[in-house]
Amino acid sequence: MAIRTIITGDDPVLNKACHPVTKFDGKLADLLDDMRETLTQANGVGLAAPQVGILRRVVLVVNGEGEMLELVNPEILAQKGEQDGLEGCLSVPGMWGYVKRPEWVRVKAQDRNGNWFETEGTGLTARCFCHELAHLDGHLYTELCEKLYTSEELDQMMEEQEADR
Ligand SMILES: [Zn+2]
């Protein structure tokens, strides 16, 4: 296993649509193992293959139980509700923005052996599924934000909200 470099900034690889995975081979297993190690080291809750420069439909999502799910060729089957909350991205370090996402999603995907399974998530996990799947079509959450905040600006906002109470 190896830690891969997370691509940040304006790299065009982050804006490309990814190809479906057709071979469930050792190369895919290596990619997934490396992505797991990379995500763990980055202390994130999700990672998509294009973020490590691989244009394949592969994502990792840490669910509400703290399990790191491997999703190959994932698709959203159903969604319900709406939530508005702060979102960040390992490819956009140091910035956050408010994004509306469904409150609940159901997803189908293949595992590293090609077996289809279904899973679902609410709250942060639903947000994470939507965020990571969007990466596979070359979309970043920043396209959905009116404004991006630095951590200093966020801290200041929180303090002001506290003061208003
Ligand atoms: Zn992201």
Side-chain angles (χ1 to χ4, degrees), residues 46-48 51 88-92 131-132 135 139-141:
L47 185 67
Q51 293 182 275
C89 179
L90 294 172
S91 293
V92 190
H131 178 118
E132 298 312 327
H135 272 298
H139 295 297
L140 296 177
Y141 82 95

Side-chain angles (χ1 to χ4, degrees), residues 10-160:
D10 296 329
D11 194 310
V13 77
L14 295 173
N15 300 117
K16 293 201 166 103
C18 298
H19 310 286
V21 171
T22 53
K23 282 193 204 124
F24 294 83
D25 55 7
K27 212 173 149 191
L28 175 66
D30 286 347
L31 171 65
L32 281 161
D33 288 343
D34 287 357
M35 283 175 65
R36 292 183 84 93
E37 200 175 338
T38 305
L39 180 57
T40 303
Q41 201 229 13
N43 206 14
V45 290
L47 185 67
Q51 293 182 275
V52 294
I54 306 293
L55 289 172
R56 289 283 167 189
R57 303 188 78 84
V58 174
V59 306
L60 297 179
V61 168
V62 178
N63 71 10
E65 285 77 50
E67 290 171 275
M68 198 182 279
L69 302 178
E70 299 177 351
L71 301 120
V72 180
N73 298 326
E75 281 172 49
I76 292 179
L77 292 176
Q79 59 183 64
K80 264 192 269 184
E82 192 181 80
Q83 56 169 323
D84 194 11
L86 274 177
E87 208 159 299
C89 179
L90 294 172
S91 293
V92 190
M95 304 298 282
W96 285 269
Y98 284 93
V99 187
K100 281 196 173 71
R101 299 286 192 188
E103 177 57 27
W104 172 89
V105 294
R106 185 156 187 86
V107 175
K108 75 165 183 177
Q110 285 167 287
D111 66 15
R112 60 168 69 198
N113 302 309
N115 302 306
W116 286 97
F117 65 98
E118 291 186 16
T119 184
E120 56 184 62
T122 53
L124 182 63
T125 307
R127 176 175 294 286
C128 195
F129 282 134
C130 296
H131 178 118
E132 298 312 327
L133 267 63
H135 272 298
L136 303 182
D137 293 316
H139 295 297
L140 296 177
Y141 82 95
T142 50
E143 296 165 29
L144 305 170
C145 295
E146 280 175 26
K147 188 178 179 337
L148 288 178
Y149 300 93
T150 64
S151 46
E152 290 78 19
E153 286 171 324
L154 272 184
D155 285 346
Q156 205 184 344
M157 260 174 41
M158 300 297 172
E159 274 172 36
E160 281 164 15

